[in-house]
Amino acid sequence: MSRVVRFHQTGSPDVLQIEDLSIGAPGPGEVKVKVEAIGLNRAEAMFRAGAYLEAPTLPARIGYEASAIVLALGEGVTGYTVGEAISVIPAFSMNAYGVYADEAIVPVYGLRKRPAGLSPVDAAGVWMAYLTSWGALIEIAGLKAGEAAIITAASSSVGIASIQTANAVGATSIAVTRTRAKVADLKDAGAAHVIVTDEQDLSAEVMRITGGKGARVAFDPVGGQQLMKLAEAAAPGGIIIEYGALSTEATPYPLFLSLLKALTIRGYTLFEFNGAAERLATAEAFILAGLKAGTLKPVIAKTFPLSQIAEAHRYLESNQQFGKVVVTTDA
C-alpha cells in the first residue's frame, strides 16, 4: 500500500485526500518509482479546481513532476535500472498518471535521468519550468542576443526560469511583477529590469527601457486586460505567447495594435513539443548544459511534507512564493 493523493470532487485545496492504495506492478512501457520530491505546478491546481485544459475523471490522481527512484520496470522498458535516480517530467495526462504519492507508476516516455549534482528537491524544480520557458522563448520565439523579452508573473518558477533562459542567450530580460515586494529577489535572480505594475505603466516602461523600440517577445501566463498592455509594449513584428489564464478578467484581443504592428499572439503549452523526441532532446541538452554551467539554477520557494498537500496547494495559490513549491514524501 502507498499513500496516494486523489480528489473525488473538484474545488479548493481541501478536496485533496491522502488515501492508502495498492499501486500494483508496472505494465508494458511503464516504470514503478519511489517518489522523493514533487514539484507543484499551477496546472495541477487548475486541474484540481476543474478549470484546466482537460477535465479530471473522478476520482482523480494528480501530479506531473517528481524526483524519484526506480523500483520496477515494465515489459519492454530499457535504458533504466532498478535503484536509479530519475526525474518524472510533464509528458502525460493526469487522467492517466499522477505523482502525488509515495510510489507511482509512470510511462517510460515521462522519465529522464536525474540531472547530475542536484538534490531531489532541486531536481523537482527543473523540468516543468525550464521546458516551458525553452519551448516558448527558444523554440517558438527564437529569442536572440540583444532582443528584449517581457516576462510576466516573473516570480513564479517558470518566470524565474524564463529570466535565466533569456539571459543565457544574451537577451534583455524585463521582469513584470505586481508589487514591489519581490523586486530585489527578481534582480538577484538575474532580471535586467523589473517593472512594478501597481506603480508603473507596463507599456511605457518597456518603451523607455528599449529606447522606443518595444520588446520583440512577451511571455505571459496571466491574460486579461494585461494583454492590451503587452501589445502596446511589443515591437513591430513581435510575438506574445500566452501560456496561462491566471486573470479572472475577460481577455480582449488587441485587434488594431495587432494590425498596426503585425503582431503574433498565440497560445502555448509545453505539450506542443514534449512528445516530439528530437525537439525534446534539443530542449534537454540546453537545460542540462545550463544547469552544468550554472546559468540555469532552480529556485525553491518552500517545501512541504506530503501530509500537508492541501496546505502546499494553498501556498501555491497565495502568490507569496518566489520560485518553486516542492512537496517531499515524509514516510
Side-chain angles (χ1 to χ4, degrees):
M1 304 293 284
S2 172
R3 292 179 306 165
V4 177
V5 176
R6 298 200 302 176
F7 56 98
H8 294 252
Q9 63 185 35
T10 57
S12 74
D14 292 325
V15 304
L16 296 173
Q17 299 179 19
I18 299 175
E19 304 174 359
D20 291 323
L21 297 175
S22 175
I23 301 302
E30 294 179 332
V31 176
K32 185 176 183 178
V33 300
K34 174 179 171 54
V35 177
E36 295 181 291
I38 303 156
L40 301 196
N41 298 290
R42 284 281 188 169
E44 294 149 11
M46 295 176 72
F47 185 68
R48 181 212 74 224
Y52 191 46
L53 297 172
E54 62 174 338
T57 301
L58 301 173
R61 300 191 188 203
I62 184 172
Y64 273 136
E65 181 177 27
S67 300
I69 301 294
V70 174
L71 291 177
L73 305 175
E75 181 184 349
V77 173
T78 60
Y80 297 94
T81 58
V82 172
E84 185 174 9
I86 53 86
S87 295
V88 182
I89 70 170
F92 46 80
S93 166
M94 286 186 284
N95 279 322
Y97 301 98
V99 296
Y100 285 20
D102 288 323
E103 297 179 357
I105 291 175
V106 292
V108 68
Y109 59 77
L111 297 190
R112 287 298 180 275
K113 308 286 185 179
R114 189 180 302 174
L118 293 189
S119 69
V121 168
D122 284 342
V126 168
W127 293 105
M128 176 67 89
Y130 290 104
L131 286 174
T132 300
S133 60
W134 181 90
L137 298 180
I138 308 303
E139 170 81 357
I140 294 171
L143 185 65
K144 296 179 177 62
E147 295 182 328
I150 304 169
I151 299 160
T152 67
S155 59
S156 69
S157 57
V158 174
I160 295 166
S162 298
I163 291 168
Q164 295 175 1
T165 299
N167 292 347
V169 298
T172 299
S173 53
I174 303 174
V176 177
T177 188
R178 188 173 58 83
T179 71
R180 190 156 289 279
K182 298 175 182 177
V183 169
D185 287 334
L186 286 167
K187 288 182 177 179
D188 288 344
H193 303 274
V194 181
I195 297 172
V196 179
T197 56
D198 277 359
E199 302 174 12
Q200 299 170 296
D201 182 272
L202 190 158
S203 54
E205 281 299 299
V206 170
M207 287 300 174
R208 181 187 65 79
I209 290 166
T210 60
K213 296 178 181 178
R216 192 182 69 78
V217 179
F219 191 35
D220 176 52
V222 180
Q225 297 296 319
Q226 185 164 271
L227 179 58
M228 190 66 69
K229 284 293 181 183
L230 293 175
E232 291 174 359
I239 180 170
I240 301 171
I241 300 172
E242 294 288 334
Y243 71 102
L246 296 179
S247 175
T248 57
E249 303 173 318
T251 302
Y253 180 73
L255 175 61
F256 284 99
L257 286 168
S258 296
L259 293 171
L260 180 65
K261 297 184 178 184
L263 300 180
T264 297
I265 301 174
R266 57 107 80 203
Y268 160 73
T269 75
L270 63 83
F271 292 100
E272 283 188 38
F273 73 87
N274 68 0
E278 185 175 335
R279 296 164 76 192
L280 188 56
T282 303
E284 184 178 1
F286 177 90
I287 292 165
L288 293 177
L291 291 171
K292 183 177 181 179
T295 54
L296 305 181
K297 185 176 181 179
V299 174
I300 308 302
K302 191 173 182 178
T303 62
F304 292 82
L306 185 63
S307 59
Q308 295 178 13
I309 188 63
E311 289 86 345
H313 263 237
R314 277 191 282 274
Y315 183 72
L316 176 71
E317 295 180 297
S318 72
N319 295 324
Q320 298 175 58
Q321 74 272 22
F322 185 84
K324 191 80 168 183
V325 181
V326 174
V327 168
T328 59
T329 53
D330 55 344

